[in-house]
Amino acid sequence: MFSVVNKELLEGFLYNVELFTITLLLSLPLGLIVAFGSMSKFAPLKVLTRGFVWAIRGTPLMLQLFVVMYMPGLVFGWQIPGSNPRMTAAVIAFVINYSCYFSEIYRGGIESIPKGQYEAGQVLGMTKTQTFFRVVLLQVVKNIVPPMSNEIMTLIKDTSLSNVIAVTEIIMAANAFSGKGLIWPLFYTGIFFLLFCGILTIVFNKIEKKLDYFKS
Amino acid sequence: MAILEVKDIKKSFGKTEVLKGVSFSLNEGEVLSIIGSSGSGKTTLLRCINFLETADSGLITVDGDVIFDGADKSKKNAKETREKQLKIGLVFQQFNLFPQYNVLDNVTLAVKLQAKERPDYKQNKKQILAEIEEKALKLLADMGLSEKIHNYPCELSGGQQQRVSIARAMALEPKILFFDEPTSALDPELTGEILKVIRELAKTNMTMVIVTHEMTFAKEVSDYIVFMDNGVIAEEGKAQELISNPKTERLQAFLSKISD
Ligand SMILES: Nc1ncnc2c1ncn2[C@@H]1O[C@H](COP(=O)(O)OP(=O)(O)O)[C@@H](O)[C@H]1O
Ligand SMILES: [Mg+2]
């Protein structure tokens, strides 16, 4: 029995990990773009971006999952294509949601860099791009590792929410057992998340240590 | 001929006019000190010359090239501005070193990026980089920092950090080096080492403009002193004379306040 449960739960958890990985890979760069939008000197872009971020951060991710899943069909009669449209919908909702959260972390990190760093770059004849990538970026990374690690740990746990649009992730898989009267697999899913977060913690501690050699 | 000419620079922030028409000039190899009480516009003047602020009007010439012309309202090309920027260097009160680079890399970073634009960079890359490094090491040795080249800014004293920032500015071989109160962020016992470095630079005929509150130092190291008050130059003259024999009441008042 135990091995059957393990196998089923592991299969479910692969969906969590898949959703986690794709969301991370897409939201990390997208979040930076959104952050630039929300800091833009072009007022309409800035207002629009900030409004969007506010709306996404101000509504439940669960609601956003429903909207992405059902809105296109209801409003435009358009179905999400692909072999697993539910997973695709989950990815879209998660990427939008997390890009917005990450963008705020990036923005905080970028705005915390003293003006003097940019001015030193300028006075030394560096271009704005050079100053950003050679001088500012690593300091931003150092500043945002702690809030980012928090957010990324939340992400793996949030992936379970995708079961509201019937992605067969781990808790959904465990629920199937409880429907047959077997409750413990539901609690047992916690172990998967704990292990995963444990690994994340180790990785983030490593990164923090790596960046320990300087103080900004 | 003057290497630096500043003509009638005006600058307002909103309604407050901070620079009300400042003019001065400086000959090659000379040292000019700018003194004046806090809020008189010294930093703003330096920032206008160094492109960190845009003056509202006036004209600035370095070595015969116009680097700023208030009458020319056309959009400035970023590349040209950078080339003009490289003619002059600025040492900040707060050092503004790059924390993630060690001392040597702080000094070489901008120079190396500059070198990439040379047409022969690809062919002679190794040699060019070696030369840059060698020059930086020489500069750091002059600053008494040979032992510290692999240290990070957070591992240095304020005085050492400021010396690195002077080396960093010098590495780009500016025609004129500007200092904005280079010792003001330092503990009193550390100001001496910076003043010594600047004195050494003066001996090599480096053209410098120094905003400072160290009157004894200003009197001894500079050829010329400008006293700023409330956005204008209230008095100027040969260093010794201006300090020993101030003519305006405002300068007299300022000097007696400082020496208290
Ligand atoms: N960015 C700015 N915006 C508004 N006011 C400024 C700004 N920079 C400087 N000022 C004002 O300009 C005046 C002169 O400042 P500053 O040039 O720093 O003087 P100093 O360096 O002689 O102490 C001060 O009253 C200061 O408040
Ligand atoms: Mg000042």
Side-chain angles (χ1 to χ4, degrees):
Chain A
M1 195 64 224
F2 186 67
S3 69
V4 175
V5 170
N6 256 337
K7 182 171 162 294
E8 293 278 308
L9 292 190
L10 193 61
E11 264 169 29
F13 197 60
L14 285 181
Y15 280 108
N16 298 78
V17 174
E18 185 186 343
L19 184 52
F20 171 88
T21 311
I22 300 176
T23 302
L24 206 56
L25 288 178
L26 295 178
S27 315
L28 283 174
L30 259 176
L32 191 58
I33 294 170
V34 177
F36 284 132
S38 69
M39 292 185 293
S40 171
K41 286 200 186 92
F42 182 56
L45 178 63
K46 177 171 138 177
V47 171
L48 214 71
T49 317
R50 291 207 180 179
F52 182 74
V53 170
W54 173 78
I56 295 295
R57 298 210 313 158
T59 53
L61 175 53
M62 194 188 279
L63 175 60
Q64 292 160 17
L65 281 162
F66 286 131
V67 169
V68 173
M69 183 69 208
Y70 300 117
M71 272 286 248
L74 286 175
V75 179
F76 307 107
W78 183 78
Q79 293 307 321
I80 294 173
S83 57
N84 191 349
R86 295 172 177 286
M87 186 64 172
T88 310
V91 165
I92 294 171
F94 269 78
V95 167
I96 293 174
N97 186 280
Y98 271 83
S99 297
C100 289
Y101 274 98
F102 289 161
S103 81
E104 288 294 281
I105 295 179
Y106 283 127
R107 186 159 71 89
I110 291 172
E111 285 176 348
S112 72
I113 304 302
K115 205 173 73 188
Q117 292 289 304
Y118 296 95
E119 292 185 345
Q122 190 194 327
V123 166
L124 293 169
M126 290 161 67
T127 64
K128 287 196 167 132
T129 321
Q130 286 171 341
T131 306
F132 183 78
F133 285 104
R134 306 282 181 145
V135 174
V136 174
L137 188 60
L138 193 63
Q139 297 180 53
V140 172
V141 170
K142 183 181 164 90
N143 287 348
I144 67 175
V145 169
M148 269 295 177
S149 65
N150 265 332
E151 207 56 46
I152 291 171
M153 300 247 238
T154 307
L155 171 59
I156 186 64
K157 292 171 282 174
D158 271 0
T159 54
S160 267
L161 278 175
S162 65
N163 81 33
V164 300
I165 54 169
V167 172
T168 53
E169 54 74 56
I170 186 166
I171 291 194
M172 177 95 115
N175 241 338
F177 286 108
S178 58
K180 296 174 210 151
L182 204 60
I183 292 293
W184 66 264
L186 201 50
F187 304 134
Y188 179 53
T189 59
I191 302 289
F192 288 78
F193 290 100
L194 279 174
L195 281 178
F196 198 90
C197 282
I199 295 167
L200 286 180
T201 307
I202 292 170
V203 170
F204 283 119
N205 281 343
K206 277 240 161 73
I207 297 175
E208 256 179 74
K209 275 245 167 63
K210 259 238 152 85
L211 293 172
D212 232 13
Y213 70 92
F214 74 89
K215 285 196 194 69
S216 55
Chain B
M1 204 197 76
I3 192 166
L4 172 68
E5 265 183 280
V6 173
K7 277 195 198 134
D8 205 24
I9 291 292
K10 290 186 181 154
K11 174 74 184 172
S12 303
F13 292 109
K15 286 211 175 82
T16 38
E17 194 174 27
V18 173
L19 298 176
K20 303 169 181 169
V22 175
S23 309
F24 65 88
S25 67
L26 180 64
N27 290 325
E28 187 159 10
E30 291 192 342
V31 177
L32 172 80
S33 287
I34 301 177
I35 61 174
S37 47
S38 156
S40 55
K42 307 180 298 295
T43 296
T44 306
L45 176 61
L46 248 53
R47 290 174 62 85
C48 284
I49 300 173
N50 281 277
F51 300 95
L52 295 175
E53 305 283 358
T54 311
D56 301 329
S57 65
L59 189 77
I60 303 171
T61 322
V62 172
D63 207 15
D65 295 326
V66 175
I67 64 163
F68 173 79
D69 182 355
D72 176 10
K73 296 290 180 201
S74 64
K75 189 122 174 57
K76 302 296 174 294
N77 168 307
K79 186 155 192 271
E80 276 172 27
T81 308
R82 263 190 302 128
E83 274 161 15
K84 291 173 181 168
Q85 182 108 56
L86 284 166
K87 291 175 187 284
I88 52 185
L90 175 64
V91 172
F92 296 87
Q93 188 174 338
Q94 302 292 346
F95 332 134
N96 294 339
L97 292 179
F98 304 137
Q100 75 268 43
Y101 291 107
N102 68 25
V103 166
L104 182 59
D105 292 340
N106 258 282
V107 176
T108 57
L109 177 67
V111 193
K112 284 181 177 169
L113 291 173
Q114 212 58 49
K116 278 193 181 167
E117 286 169 33
R118 283 168 55 165
D120 61 337
Y121 181 74
K122 280 226 171 75
Q123 297 164 344
N124 305 333
K125 187 172 170 183
K126 261 211 173 118
Q127 193 195 338
I128 290 174
L129 292 181
E131 278 167 16
I132 290 173
E133 198 126 309
E134 194 180 330
K135 238 182 61 195
L137 289 172
K138 166 88 178 45
L139 271 169
L140 287 166
D142 291 346
M143 300 287 154
L145 289 167
S146 294
E147 317 272 279
K148 299 285 179 190
I149 56 168
H150 294 301
N151 286 87
Y152 288 88
C154 63
E155 301 165 337
L156 305 178
S157 72
Q160 289 166 336
Q161 290 188 50
Q162 190 59 301
R163 281 184 277 152
V164 176
S165 91
I166 295 173
R168 183 176 69 170
M170 288 292 292
L172 288 156
E173 302 181 337
K175 294 210 157 83
I176 310 167
L177 190 51
F178 292 79
F179 295 81
D180 190 4
E181 300 196 26
T183 60
S184 291
L186 301 176
D187 294 333
E189 70 269 22
L190 297 179
T191 60
E193 54 181 287
I194 300 304
L195 300 183
K196 182 168 158 244
V197 163
I198 299 176
R199 263 186 220 110
E200 294 297 321
L201 285 177
K203 277 188 204 146
T204 67
N205 284 333
M206 182 73 207
T207 312
M208 293 186 281
V209 175
I210 309 166
V211 172
T212 183
H213 285 298
E214 308 275 343
M215 287 309 135
T216 335
F217 168 73
K219 185 172 154 186
E220 153 220 348
V221 80
S222 17
D223 301 285
Y224 212 73
I225 295 183
V226 158
F227 167 61
M228 279 191 70
D229 188 49
N230 207 5
V232 295
I233 293 180
E235 188 169 341
E236 58 186 300
K238 288 242 162 53
Q240 301 284 343
E241 205 166 308
L242 184 112
I243 301 284
S244 327
N245 191 8
K247 299 210 164 47
T248 59
E249 251 174 55
R250 286 193 276 183
L251 179 55
Q252 286 162 5
F254 173 73
L255 288 176
S256 66
K257 212 169 55 189
I258 285 260
S259 59
D260 282 347

